[in-house]
Amino acid sequence: MTAGVPFDVVILSSGEGTNLQNLIDHAARSHDRIRIAAVFSDHRSRSLERARDAGIAAHHLSAKGFADREAYDAALGDAIEALEPDLIVLSGFMRILGKAFVARFGDRIINIHPSLLPKFKGLHTHRRVLDAGDAFHGATVHFVTEALDAGPGIIQCRIPVLAGDDEASLAARIHEVEYMIFPRAVEWCAGGLVQFTGDEAVFDGMPMIGPVQVKHES
Ligand code: GAR
């Protein structure tokens, strides 16, 4: 980030967009240090309404009408590249981005995932944590690579699974944790504190052996 020049972020979000809202609110408080240049969604989602309400360009790009994943990714990539963002943030974006897209933007895509990666990649993480009888759950922000939910971690927050927890209660508490760690990860990227070399994540010039780990006693 250059002093006085906003750090431009493009956010991809498929659904309800509560993390998006949290990032919008964070950017609004940043006095133009962080600027959300646009929001893209693969659905006519609440995310797009939240972006519009905040005066942010909101684009619906449905997968319908594209021959395959590569064609969709290419169109999305072209639209994003035109904005020259410093960072692409996957905030509840429920499509897998293919090899070519990741290669195109590979060192500047981050994702939030509702689990203590590398545990529980993919979907239905809250249910799977309960089924496994795990004592802890959490959320992770990581750089995106070709492999699903497997790129180097930036920050991870752990919470205890409480007696009586169900999917809904875990989802709500994981959201609270996400609202805490996601803006921090964006700030770290904006400030150059955390970078991705393409091979590994680097924190303040030092290779990371894992995400920064924090806990939340909720
Ligand atoms: C978040 O919990 C996020 O971690 C998850 O979707 C939710 C979106 O909520 N992402 C994934 O599962 C990606 N694999 P939101 O739309 O209210 O921010």
Side-chain angles (χ1 to χ4, degrees), residues 13 15-20 91-94 111-114 122 149 175 178:
S13 181
E16 187 53 31
T18 64
N19 275 288
L20 167 68
S91 181
F93 190 61
M94 302 310 279
N111 178 48
I112 191 154
H113 184 76
D149 299 329
H175 265 118
E178 292 183 331

PDB file of all heavy atoms in Angstrom, residues 13 15-20 91-94 111-114 122 149 175 178, ligand 1:
ATOM      1  N   SER A  13     -18.985 -12.571  -3.278  1.00  0.00           N
ATOM      2  CA  SER A  13     -19.848 -13.054  -2.196  1.00  0.00           C
ATOM      3  C   SER A  13     -21.145 -13.597  -2.789  1.00  0.00           C
ATOM      4  O   SER A  13     -21.802 -12.914  -3.572  1.00  0.00           O
ATOM      5  CB  SER A  13     -20.136 -11.887  -1.237  1.00  0.00           C
ATOM      6  OG  SER A  13     -20.938 -12.311  -0.175  1.00  0.00           O
ATOM      7  N   GLY A  15     -23.944 -15.036  -1.030  1.00  0.00           N
ATOM      8  CA  GLY A  15     -25.186 -15.211  -0.283  1.00  0.00           C
ATOM      9  C   GLY A  15     -25.603 -14.042   0.569  1.00  0.00           C
ATOM     10  O   GLY A  15     -25.765 -12.919   0.099  1.00  0.00           O
ATOM     11  N   GLU A  16     -25.747 -14.321   1.849  1.00  0.00           N
ATOM     12  CA  GLU A  16     -26.286 -13.350   2.799  1.00  0.00           C
ATOM     13  C   GLU A  16     -25.360 -12.137   2.949  1.00  0.00           C
ATOM     14  O   GLU A  16     -25.814 -11.009   3.121  1.00  0.00           O
ATOM     15  CB  GLU A  16     -26.513 -14.065   4.137  1.00  0.00           C
ATOM     16  CG  GLU A  16     -27.223 -13.268   5.195  1.00  0.00           C
ATOM     17  CD  GLU A  16     -28.547 -12.664   4.740  1.00  0.00           C
ATOM     18  OE1 GLU A  16     -29.235 -13.257   3.888  1.00  0.00           O
ATOM     19  OE2 GLU A  16     -28.885 -11.566   5.237  1.00  0.00           O
ATOM     20  N   GLY A  17     -24.069 -12.389   2.930  1.00  0.00           N
ATOM     21  CA  GLY A  17     -23.119 -11.272   2.900  1.00  0.00           C
ATOM     22  C   GLY A  17     -22.910 -10.560   4.222  1.00  0.00           C
ATOM     23  O   GLY A  17     -22.592  -9.361   4.239  1.00  0.00           O
ATOM     24  N   THR A  18     -23.020 -11.277   5.335  1.00  0.00           N
ATOM     25  CA  THR A  18     -22.780 -10.580   6.610  1.00  0.00           C
ATOM     26  C   THR A  18     -21.298 -10.260   6.785  1.00  0.00           C
ATOM     27  O   THR A  18     -20.954  -9.223   7.350  1.00  0.00           O
ATOM     28  CB  THR A  18     -23.318 -11.375   7.819  1.00  0.00           C
ATOM     29  OG1 THR A  18     -22.607 -12.600   7.950  1.00  0.00           O
ATOM     30  CG2 THR A  18     -24.801 -11.648   7.690  1.00  0.00           C
ATOM     31  N   ASN A  19     -20.430 -11.137   6.296  1.00  0.00           N
ATOM     32  CA  ASN A  19     -18.997 -10.794   6.329  1.00  0.00           C
ATOM     33  C   ASN A  19     -18.705  -9.626   5.400  1.00  0.00           C
ATOM     34  O   ASN A  19     -17.892  -8.760   5.721  1.00  0.00           O
ATOM     35  CB  ASN A  19     -18.145 -12.004   5.922  1.00  0.00           C
ATOM     36  CG  ASN A  19     -17.859 -12.923   7.086  1.00  0.00           C
ATOM     37  OD1 ASN A  19     -17.073 -12.581   7.964  1.00  0.00           O
ATOM     38  ND2 ASN A  19     -18.519 -14.068   7.106  1.00  0.00           N
ATOM     39  N   LEU A  20     -19.353  -9.634   4.255  1.00  0.00           N
ATOM     40  CA  LEU A  20     -19.207  -8.496   3.342  1.00  0.00           C
ATOM     41  C   LEU A  20     -19.592  -7.207   4.053  1.00  0.00           C
ATOM     42  O   LEU A  20     -18.865  -6.202   3.994  1.00  0.00           O
ATOM     43  CB  LEU A  20     -20.084  -8.707   2.102  1.00  0.00           C
ATOM     44  CG  LEU A  20     -20.265  -7.479   1.210  1.00  0.00           C
ATOM     45  CD1 LEU A  20     -18.963  -7.104   0.530  1.00  0.00           C
ATOM     46  CD2 LEU A  20     -21.365  -7.699   0.186  1.00  0.00           C
ATOM     47  N   SER A  91     -15.604 -13.862   0.124  1.00  0.00           N
ATOM     48  CA  SER A  91     -16.329 -13.692   1.375  1.00  0.00           C
ATOM     49  C   SER A  91     -17.651 -14.452   1.266  1.00  0.00           C
ATOM     50  O   SER A  91     -18.669 -13.880   0.889  1.00  0.00           O
ATOM     51  CB  SER A  91     -16.566 -12.198   1.599  1.00  0.00           C
ATOM     52  OG  SER A  91     -17.241 -11.974   2.792  1.00  0.00           O
ATOM     53  N   GLY A  92     -17.574 -15.754   1.515  1.00  0.00           N
ATOM     54  CA  GLY A  92     -18.764 -16.568   1.310  1.00  0.00           C
ATOM     55  C   GLY A  92     -19.081 -16.710  -0.172  1.00  0.00           C
ATOM     56  O   GLY A  92     -20.239 -16.705  -0.562  1.00  0.00           O
ATOM     57  N   PHE A  93     -18.034 -16.842  -0.994  1.00  0.00           N
ATOM     58  CA  PHE A  93     -18.233 -17.080  -2.428  1.00  0.00           C
ATOM     59  C   PHE A  93     -18.253 -18.589  -2.619  1.00  0.00           C
ATOM     60  O   PHE A  93     -17.255 -19.262  -2.349  1.00  0.00           O
ATOM     61  CB  PHE A  93     -17.112 -16.431  -3.247  1.00  0.00           C
ATOM     62  CG  PHE A  93     -17.379 -16.435  -4.732  1.00  0.00           C
ATOM     63  CD1 PHE A  93     -18.488 -15.779  -5.251  1.00  0.00           C
ATOM     64  CD2 PHE A  93     -16.512 -17.078  -5.612  1.00  0.00           C
ATOM     65  CE1 PHE A  93     -18.739 -15.769  -6.623  1.00  0.00           C
ATOM     66  CE2 PHE A  93     -16.759 -17.065  -6.983  1.00  0.00           C
ATOM     67  CZ  PHE A  93     -17.864 -16.408  -7.493  1.00  0.00           C
ATOM     68  N   MET A  94     -19.404 -19.107  -3.036  1.00  0.00           N
ATOM     69  CA  MET A  94     -19.610 -20.548  -2.964  1.00  0.00           C
ATOM     70  C   MET A  94     -19.356 -21.257  -4.297  1.00  0.00           C
ATOM     71  O   MET A  94     -19.857 -22.347  -4.536  1.00  0.00           O
ATOM     72  CB  MET A  94     -21.024 -20.848  -2.437  1.00  0.00           C
ATOM     73  CG  MET A  94     -21.292 -20.232  -1.067  1.00  0.00           C
ATOM     74  SD  MET A  94     -20.018 -20.549   0.204  1.00  0.00           S
ATOM     75  CE  MET A  94     -20.497 -22.192   0.713  1.00  0.00           C
ATOM     76  N   ASN A 111      -9.411 -16.049   1.164  1.00  0.00           N
ATOM     77  CA  ASN A 111     -10.722 -16.672   1.388  1.00  0.00           C
ATOM     78  C   ASN A 111     -10.930 -16.864   2.876  1.00  0.00           C
ATOM     79  O   ASN A 111      -9.971 -17.067   3.625  1.00  0.00           O
ATOM     80  CB  ASN A 111     -10.738 -18.049   0.702  1.00  0.00           C
ATOM     81  CG  ASN A 111     -12.042 -18.801   0.912  1.00  0.00           C
ATOM     82  OD1 ASN A 111     -13.130 -18.245   0.726  1.00  0.00           O
ATOM     83  ND2 ASN A 111     -11.942 -20.066   1.300  1.00  0.00           N
ATOM     84  N   ILE A 112     -12.197 -16.808   3.296  1.00  0.00           N
ATOM     85  CA  ILE A 112     -12.502 -17.178   4.676  1.00  0.00           C
ATOM     86  C   ILE A 112     -13.260 -18.496   4.657  1.00  0.00           C
ATOM     87  O   ILE A 112     -14.141 -18.704   3.823  1.00  0.00           O
ATOM     88  CB  ILE A 112     -13.284 -16.075   5.428  1.00  0.00           C
ATOM     89  CG1 ILE A 112     -13.329 -16.403   6.920  1.00  0.00           C
ATOM     90  CG2 ILE A 112     -14.685 -15.858   4.864  1.00  0.00           C
ATOM     91  CD1 ILE A 112     -13.482 -15.199   7.816  1.00  0.00           C
ATOM     92  N   HIS A 113     -12.868 -19.371   5.575  1.00  0.00           N
ATOM     93  CA  HIS A 113     -13.483 -20.698   5.612  1.00  0.00           C
ATOM     94  C   HIS A 113     -13.884 -21.025   7.048  1.00  0.00           C
ATOM     95  O   HIS A 113     -13.089 -20.836   7.974  1.00  0.00           O
ATOM     96  CB  HIS A 113     -12.507 -21.748   5.077  1.00  0.00           C
ATOM     97  CG  HIS A 113     -13.119 -23.116   5.011  1.00  0.00           C
ATOM     98  ND1 HIS A 113     -14.021 -23.481   4.033  1.00  0.00           N
ATOM     99  CD2 HIS A 113     -13.001 -24.178   5.826  1.00  0.00           C
ATOM    100  CE1 HIS A 113     -14.421 -24.717   4.248  1.00  0.00           C
ATOM    101  NE2 HIS A 113     -13.816 -25.173   5.327  1.00  0.00           N
ATOM    102  N   PRO A 114     -15.100 -21.555   7.220  1.00  0.00           N
ATOM    103  CA  PRO A 114     -15.592 -21.797   8.582  1.00  0.00           C
ATOM    104  C   PRO A 114     -15.126 -23.120   9.174  1.00  0.00           C
ATOM    105  O   PRO A 114     -15.938 -23.984   9.497  1.00  0.00           O
ATOM    106  CB  PRO A 114     -17.117 -21.761   8.397  1.00  0.00           C
ATOM    107  CG  PRO A 114     -17.324 -22.260   7.006  1.00  0.00           C
ATOM    108  CD  PRO A 114     -16.139 -21.813   6.201  1.00  0.00           C
ATOM    109  N   GLY A 122     -14.259 -27.803   2.479  1.00  0.00           N
ATOM    110  CA  GLY A 122     -15.539 -28.024   1.801  1.00  0.00           C
ATOM    111  C   GLY A 122     -16.741 -27.529   2.595  1.00  0.00           C
ATOM    112  O   GLY A 122     -16.633 -26.595   3.391  1.00  0.00           O
ATOM    113  N   ASP A 149      -9.509 -24.944  -0.430  1.00  0.00           N
ATOM    114  CA  ASP A 149      -9.349 -24.644   1.006  1.00  0.00           C
ATOM    115  C   ASP A 149      -7.996 -25.104   1.552  1.00  0.00           C
ATOM    116  O   ASP A 149      -7.903 -25.541   2.709  1.00  0.00           O
ATOM    117  CB  ASP A 149     -10.493 -25.281   1.829  1.00  0.00           C
ATOM    118  CG  ASP A 149     -11.865 -24.750   1.434  1.00  0.00           C
ATOM    119  OD1 ASP A 149     -11.945 -23.577   1.015  1.00  0.00           O
ATOM    120  OD2 ASP A 149     -12.840 -25.505   1.527  1.00  0.00           O
ATOM    121  N   HIS A 175     -19.590 -16.948  12.909  1.00  0.00           N
ATOM    122  CA  HIS A 175     -19.711 -15.649  12.243  1.00  0.00           C
ATOM    123  C   HIS A 175     -19.066 -14.542  13.083  1.00  0.00           C
ATOM    124  O   HIS A 175     -18.336 -13.696  12.555  1.00  0.00           O
ATOM    125  CB  HIS A 175     -21.183 -15.317  11.951  1.00  0.00           C
ATOM    126  CG  HIS A 175     -21.601 -15.700  10.561  1.00  0.00           C
ATOM    127  ND1 HIS A 175     -22.576 -16.614  10.286  1.00  0.00           N
ATOM    128  CD2 HIS A 175     -21.152 -15.268   9.358  1.00  0.00           C
ATOM    129  CE1 HIS A 175     -22.717 -16.744   8.974  1.00  0.00           C
ATOM    130  NE2 HIS A 175     -21.865 -15.937   8.390  1.00  0.00           N
ATOM    131  N   GLU A 178     -15.481 -14.700  12.622  1.00  0.00           N
ATOM    132  CA  GLU A 178     -15.106 -14.251  11.280  1.00  0.00           C
ATOM    133  C   GLU A 178     -15.077 -12.724  11.199  1.00  0.00           C
ATOM    134  O   GLU A 178     -14.192 -12.139  10.565  1.00  0.00           O
ATOM    135  CB  GLU A 178     -16.066 -14.836  10.242  1.00  0.00           C
ATOM    136  CG  GLU A 178     -15.922 -16.344  10.113  1.00  0.00           C
ATOM    137  CD  GLU A 178     -16.810 -16.967   9.045  1.00  0.00           C
ATOM    138  OE1 GLU A 178     -17.909 -16.421   8.767  1.00  0.00           O
ATOM    139  OE2 GLU A 178     -16.422 -18.005   8.506  1.00  0.00           O
TER     140      GLU A 178
HETATM  141  C1  GAR B   1     -19.182 -17.707   6.130  1.00  0.00           C
HETATM  142  O1  GAR B   1     -19.323 -18.413   7.333  1.00  0.00           O
HETATM  143  C2  GAR B   1     -17.976 -18.197   5.366  1.00  0.00           C
HETATM  144  O2  GAR B   1     -16.924 -18.626   6.187  1.00  0.00           O
HETATM  145  C3  GAR B   1     -18.554 -19.346   4.591  1.00  0.00           C
HETATM  146  O3  GAR B   1     -19.816 -18.921   4.197  1.00  0.00           O
HETATM  147  C4  GAR B   1     -20.336 -18.044   5.178  1.00  0.00           C
HETATM  148  C5  GAR B   1     -20.868 -16.826   4.467  1.00  0.00           C
HETATM  149  O4  GAR B   1     -21.628 -16.047   5.355  1.00  0.00           O
HETATM  150  N1  GAR B   1     -17.715 -19.682   3.490  1.00  0.00           N
HETATM  151  C6  GAR B   1     -17.570 -20.919   3.034  1.00  0.00           C
HETATM  152  O5  GAR B   1     -18.141 -21.879   3.503  1.00  0.00           O
HETATM  153  C7  GAR B   1     -16.612 -21.056   1.877  1.00  0.00           C
HETATM  154  N2  GAR B   1     -16.157 -22.386   1.762  1.00  0.00           N
HETATM  155  P1  GAR B   1     -21.976 -14.548   4.980  1.00  0.00           P
HETATM  156  O6  GAR B   1     -22.512 -14.566   3.546  1.00  0.00           O
HETATM  157  O7  GAR B   1     -23.037 -14.148   5.959  1.00  0.00           O
HETATM  158  O8  GAR B   1     -20.730 -13.749   5.090  1.00  0.00           O
END
